[in-house]
Amino acid sequence: MATLFTRIINGEIPCYKVAEDEHYFAFLDINPMAEGHTLVIPKKEDDYIFHLDDETYSGLMLFAKRVALALERAVPCKRIGVAVMGMEVPHVHVHLVPLQRESDLSIEKPKLHLPDETMSEIAEKIASEWRKM
């Protein structure tokens, strides 16, 4: 059965997409740690990042780097934090989180609840920067 993320890629579940190519997909996390919190995933389903073949793994990281640079231009922050936990959805995903301080990347902190309009605006800003690259 397709994972939640595969269903998002296939357009069965809506998302705030920020970037996509033939092999990878990036969209805003709906329970963000910070404004602009983005998930980057391979289109190929796999449950664990270190089970990816080398080409998919390195491609994912290069795609995530490009998304992070676009995110950094779109959302004011000191850095973009990176985390790979992958316990909540059985599909490899890289979290890119705009940071003002290290604690912004804590999974313990309360998640933000942003209105659809705000999420759409953020997604478009990141997508716009992505298209410039």
Side-chain angles (χ1 to χ4, degrees), residues 33-44:
M33 292 185 223
E35 285 192 21
H37 179 172
T38 300
L39 300 177
V40 180
I41 62 176
K43 289 184 176 179
K44 174 184 171 184

Side-chain angles (χ1 to χ4, degrees), residues 11 13 28 37 41 43 50 65 92 103 112 118 122 127:
I13 297 173
L28 295 183
H37 179 172
I41 62 176
K43 289 184 176 179
F50 296 119
K65 177 183 177 182
V92 171
S103 61
L112 301 178
T118 302
I122 294 168

Side-chain angles (χ1 to χ4, degrees), residues 2 8 14 51 53 59 61 66 71 74 84 95 114 117 121 132:
I8 288 172
H51 290 170
D53 61 80
M61 291 299 124
R66 188 170 166 209
L71 177 56
V84 178
H95 295 261
L114 303 172
E117 183 177 299
E121 288 172 5
K132 293 176 186 176

Side-chain angles (χ1 to χ4, degrees), residues 9-115:
I9 292 165
N10 293 337
E12 298 168 28
I13 297 173
C15 74
Y16 301 98
K17 180 170 75 169
V18 300
E20 178 179 17
D21 72 9
E22 183 181 345
H23 302 289
Y24 308 100
F25 195 91
F27 57 100
L28 295 183
D29 191 310
I30 59 168
N31 294 305
M33 292 185 223
E35 285 192 21
H37 179 172
T38 300
L39 300 177
V40 180
I41 62 176
K43 289 184 176 179
K44 174 184 171 184
E45 282 187 18
D46 204 316
D47 183 27
Y48 185 48
I49 195 165
F50 296 119
H51 290 170
L52 295 175
D53 61 80
D54 290 349
E55 184 178 344
T56 303
Y57 176 84
S58 58
L60 176 65
M61 291 299 124
L62 289 171
F63 185 84
K65 177 183 177 182
R66 188 170 166 209
V67 172
L69 293 172
L71 177 56
E72 189 173 44
R73 291 179 185 175
V75 177
C77 60
K78 290 184 179 177
R79 290 204 174 193
I80 301 298
V82 179
V84 178
M85 295 168 276
M87 304 294 278
E88 59 280 349
V89 177
H91 190 132
V92 171
H93 52 290
V94 175
H95 295 261
L96 300 177
V97 182
L99 303 176
Q100 300 303 330
R101 62 195 68 75
E102 285 187 14
S103 61
D104 289 342
L105 197 55
S106 172
I107 60 172
E108 309 262 324
K109 74 182 248 181
K111 305 299 185 242
L112 301 178
H113 299 283
L114 303 172

